Amino acid sequence: MIHSKPTRNLALDLVRVTEAAALAAGRFMGRGDKNAADKASVDAMRLVLNEVEMDGIIVIGEGEKDEAPMLYNGEHLGTGEPPQVDIAVDPIDGTRPLAHGQYNSLSTVALSPRGTMFNPGPFVYMNKIAVGPEARDVIDIDASVEDNLKAVARAKGMDVNDVTVVILDRPRHEKLISEVRRLGARIRLIPDGDVAGALMTSMPETGIDILMGIGGTPEGVLAACALRCLGGNMQGKIYPRNDVERQKGIELGYDLDKVLKLEDLVSSEDTFFAATGITGGELLHGVSYTGAGATTDSIVMRGLTGTVRRIMAQHRFAKLSRISAINY
């Protein structure tokens, strides 16, 4: 048996990034100002990412589809020292739930070796299907909803009417929702935050079996990084919003009919993922403030080892305020 020297687990650096973003954004819960929350989380995330010992380039950035403050695609972050990595960020996955004081908003970030993350170019939406380890080999995004639900049910040893599907609550999913209901499966509609939805398919305690529907490409790549760590699976297809976007993609050489498998979305197993809850939900507790500071709940993962950690952290603002530029 060949043993190799343990390498640095960058996920343990990334959790400081998502904690900072969550603490900065959490102050805006229920205030109805999505852009102010986004700006606070972006500023905090950028500051701490630049402290991580890495030569990083953002491949999956934030803000383009909703004109919010951004971490730009192509932006260089980190100290500039090796390793060279691709970065995917979503400082707030679920800005609307955060703004309205609802559940399941997270701060997320993922890394993988340089050149291994899918670059969606002009496309900000993709059709997705995601499952946990038990059903990882049975999904097919080109198959019917019925075939996929039956396949997942068989793989998990349950009936279709016991399967729970998580779907973004959008008008574009009206037909999908009707079909799932016709087949007798249960549905968990979520207002935003399909990174959390995808992760929950790989965590039995959440009761979610499959994610289906059209969501953001940044969220798709982030979820793919996490699912590589968790042993789950995802497939996607680019979803042009209009003819202009479709034509631009064709001119850039994108195959709009191609099924993007997990290995296409992130081609390396050496992935790192971190998420911190901002508002509470099935996946993570939200930021809890006290007079002296706050408590955060995070999950960190490493694809190479499959290690998943839950980290509960207590933050003391009196000390942080003396050394940090972030306004907690």
Side-chain angles (χ1 to χ4, degrees), residues 56-61 64 71-77 87 119:
I57 294 179
I58 292 186
V59 175
I60 302 295
E64 291 186 38
L71 282 155
Y72 294 92
N73 289 3
E75 184 174 348
H76 286 256
L77 292 170
I87 307 173
N119 188 335

Side-chain angles (χ1 to χ4, degrees), residues 235-255:
Q235 293 180 6
K237 293 185 81 170
I238 289 169
Y239 182 81
R241 291 176 293 178
N242 49 52
D243 289 340
V244 173
E245 194 169 276
R246 175 182 294 274
Q247 186 58 40
K248 186 175 181 180
I250 292 171
E251 291 171 359
L252 290 172
Y254 284 86
D255 181 354

